[in-house]
Amino acid sequence: IQEGTVIRGKEVPSTTDNASALIITRDAQIFAEGTASEPIIFTAELDDISDPLDLLQSDIGLWGGLILLGNATIAFSATEGNIEGIPTSEPRGFYGGSNDDDNSGTLRYVSIRRGGAALSSGNEINGLTLGAVGRQTTIEHVEVSHHDDDGIEFFGGTADCKWCAVAFCADDAFDFDLGWRGRGQFWFVVQDINKADNGGEFDGADPDGATPFSQPTIYNATFIGSGSGAPAQNANAMLIRDAAGGTFANSIFTGFANFAIEVEDLPAASGVDSRQRVEDGDLMLLNNIWWSFGAGSELNAGDNGIIGVTEDAEDSTATWLINHLTANGNTLEDPQLLSIGRDQSGSLKPLPAAGGPAFSGLADEPADSWFEDVDFKGAFGTDLWVADWTALSQEGFLAGGALGSEIVPAASIGLELWPNPSIDRIAISLPDGQALLRIYDLQGKVLQEQQAQGPAFQWSVAGLENGTYVLVWDNGQQSAARLMAVAR
């Protein structure tokens, strides 16, 4: 597939299938090699990619997704399985084998958008499904956005993934199971405020005690959830269960509606669990930053705690997990990301502030040349590698993207509000000319918007509840923001 190609999935397939999808079978390969200036885009036939406003954030599930099936090892009751959603009568749907060096081809600068339709009832297609994909496959600079299921899911195998972004998926962002043992670096997640589940749902094997259990090595992830007060389910930044192991290091987890982390802890009679992986040294959480969770702000499993606990857990206080996090360089502190936004206002800039906590206290990188040796935690240092080629950039979510404007200090353009706090009406001084004004809640949701003409404007806030909000002015070239309060 040549760089710059746009591939469209049909919303209503021409056969009796329930969804359109591209499936690369065992022993086949795909070579989809885009560039930063000419990415390869998989999207729905309804998506006019030249118009960043033609679809809403809720327009998801408009086609299926991309599925790669390989010959690597899976931890299953058999040496091969049938990928979810495809009938077992279809032999091309099988994946798994014994070749962990299998090669399913190359995905480079690929953006997968607006999918997640179901192949069969209850079997939605992930944005990118990797079934027993081997380590010789190249997966770099891949985005899944606006998807009605998981973003990227691994079913066993040893696939490696670097520079991967998952944005606004209705289920989990990253998901693995059946003994995935690959490597990951520079993973970015941002989730919708209304519909999202875990940042990562990480399972070990089926059955739980099977081998080889999931044990990937993942460095430099930034997971931004739905917002600490968002209505989305958004249960955990990470849910680790079914005896999954792995190493998760030098990463940032922030802004989830509920918990930071839950690691499965079963009664002893239930068999192996992910707590046992921690105690055996097969699951390690190293030098990560945790910040802003709806469940609480303290490192405990009780009131105001960031840790979720398995139902009927052997240790309802999760003391063993608290001890592990404390002993291995994990911190509860603001990572100082420059700007978090979840709509097309050009307000998402997830770079960490220079000199902030993301640039200190790092775990050593693995002694493995596949990993980049960097001096920062999270997916980004000073290079916003999701710029230009992603839907995040082209549809105006990123600062400086298609709809984005240069962010300037409010004082420099004379953006002022009074009275502030306000009771029912607020006066706004602003530059001459036409601009768009938006009022956001603190989770990034747009509550009101109006076109305004400078140099002055008045806005009724009688419909807003008491609280703190953000008013954003944007004239298409520049944008600025002020905090505003309503108090009656």
Side-chain angles (χ1 to χ4, degrees):
I1 302 174
Q2 293 179 328
E3 64 270 19
T5 303
V6 179
I7 299 165
R8 301 183 182 278
K10 294 181 71 65
E11 184 175 13
V12 180
S14 55
T15 68
T16 57
D17 294 331
N18 292 326
S20 56
L22 177 58
I23 303 167
I24 310 302
T25 64
R26 287 191 297 190
D27 302 319
Q29 293 176 305
I30 181 173
F31 293 94
E33 301 189 55
T35 67
S37 59
E38 293 188 279
I40 293 167
I41 298 172
F42 291 85
T43 192
E45 61 181 338
L46 298 181
D47 184 9
D48 180 359
I49 62 171
S50 66
D51 180 2
L53 296 176
D54 67 320
L55 296 175
L56 303 174
Q57 284 195 242
S58 57
D59 288 326
I60 57 179
L62 303 182
W63 70 292
L66 177 59
I67 299 173
L68 273 62
L69 304 177
N71 292 285
T73 309
I74 61 174
F76 191 51
S77 55
T79 58
E80 64 179 13
N82 190 266
I83 202 67
E84 61 183 10
I86 299 179
T88 56
S89 59
E90 172 53 81
R92 292 173 298 176
F94 281 88
Y95 66 102
S98 59
N99 182 13
D100 285 346
D101 290 320
D102 196 29
N103 186 349
S104 294
T106 298
L107 301 177
R108 184 176 283 125
Y109 286 105
V110 169
S111 178
I112 303 166
R113 308 175 183 179
R114 305 286 178 177
L119 277 172
S120 62
S121 179
N123 284 310
E124 295 84 4
I125 304 173
N126 307 302
L128 175 61
T129 298
L130 301 168
V133 173
R135 64 172 62 95
Q136 293 301 315
T137 308
T138 299
I139 302 172
E140 296 179 351
H141 290 97
V142 171
E143 176 201 41
V144 176
S145 78
H146 295 89
H147 202 80
D148 200 15
D149 196 37
D150 298 336
I152 299 177
E153 183 161 3
F154 305 81
F155 292 93
T158 52
D160 300 326
C161 297
K162 189 182 288 185
W163 297 295
C164 291
V166 175
F168 311 123
C169 290
D171 202 348
D172 308 313
F174 286 89
D175 194 333
F176 62 71
D177 198 354
L178 301 186
W180 177 53
R181 289 152 292 121
R183 297 169 292 188
Q185 192 177 23
F186 310 124
W187 285 9
F188 176 58
V189 169
V190 61
Q191 295 184 294
D192 187 77
I193 65 170
N194 292 307
K195 195 173 183 181
D197 202 355
N198 302 296
E201 182 177 289
F202 301 149
D203 299 337
D206 185 10
D208 294 358
T211 58
F213 59 85
S214 295
Q215 196 174 15
T217 302
I218 300 168
Y219 274 64
N220 297 103
T222 295
F223 283 18
I224 299 173
S226 299
S228 61
Q233 180 177 348
N234 209 210
N236 301 278
M238 284 203 298
L239 172 62
I240 306 174
R241 64 185 184 183
D242 295 347
T247 299
F248 305 89
N250 292 347
S251 295
I252 295 170
F253 304 95
T254 186
F256 282 76
N258 289 290
F259 294 102
I261 185 170
E262 179 183 329
V263 178
E264 177 192 60
D265 175 22
L266 299 175
S270 300
V272 66
D273 56 16
S274 289
R275 174 184 175 177
Q276 188 65 51
R277 301 296 184 209
V278 172
E279 294 174 344
D280 290 345
D282 293 324
L283 172 56
M284 296 186 291
L285 303 157
L286 310 176
N287 301 72
N288 303 298
I289 295 175
W290 310 83
W291 181 253
S292 185
F293 301 96
S297 59
E298 298 177 3
L299 186 60
N300 66 56
D303 292 342
N304 199 35
I306 70 169
I307 296 174
V309 177
T310 310
E311 186 177 356
D312 299 325
E314 197 167 45
D315 177 6
S316 62
T317 68
T319 300
W320 54 276
L321 179 56
I322 295 168
N323 291 341
H324 175 83
L325 294 169
T326 303
N328 286 284
N330 294 272
T331 59
L332 272 66
E333 58 185 331
D334 187 348
Q336 298 179 27
L337 302 183
L338 295 184
S339 179
I340 295 175
R342 299 176 179 86
D343 67 5
Q344 291 169 283
S345 62
S347 56
L348 177 61
K349 194 169 186 179
L351 299 176
F359 291 93
S360 62
L362 279 71
D364 291 338
E365 297 283 352
D368 179 342
S369 61
W370 185 86
F371 287 94
E372 307 286 325
D373 189 6
V374 297
D375 63 353
F376 54 85
K377 296 178 182 179
F380 309 99
T382 58
D383 175 25
L384 193 62
W385 49 261
V386 288
D388 300 326
W389 61 276
T390 60
L392 281 171
S393 180
Q394 295 170 0
E395 295 180 4
F397 293 90
L398 293 182
L403 301 181
S405 304
E406 177 190 7
I407 299 174
V408 297
S412 71
I413 60 167
L415 179 64
E416 302 291 347
L417 314 176
W418 74 92
N420 191 15
S422 174
I423 297 175
D424 57 5
R425 183 169 292 275
I426 194 163
I428 307 167
S429 66
L430 62 164
D432 289 337
Q434 190 81 7
L436 179 66
L437 294 178
R438 286 193 176 105
I439 294 177
Y440 294 79
D441 65 18
L442 296 184
Q443 283 72 50
K445 181 179 180 180
V446 178
L447 302 179
Q448 297 181 12
E449 67 178 33
Q450 293 193 43
Q451 291 289 335
Q453 180 72 38
F457 188 76
Q458 293 216 5
W459 198 336
S460 172
V461 294
L464 297 178
E465 298 179 355
N466 287 353
T468 302
Y469 302 89
V470 180
L471 183 139
V472 175
W473 167 91
D474 192 333
N475 70 355
Q477 288 78 46
Q478 294 181 317
S479 64
R482 287 282 191 192
L483 285 174
M484 57 173 279
V486 175
R488 301 184 179 90

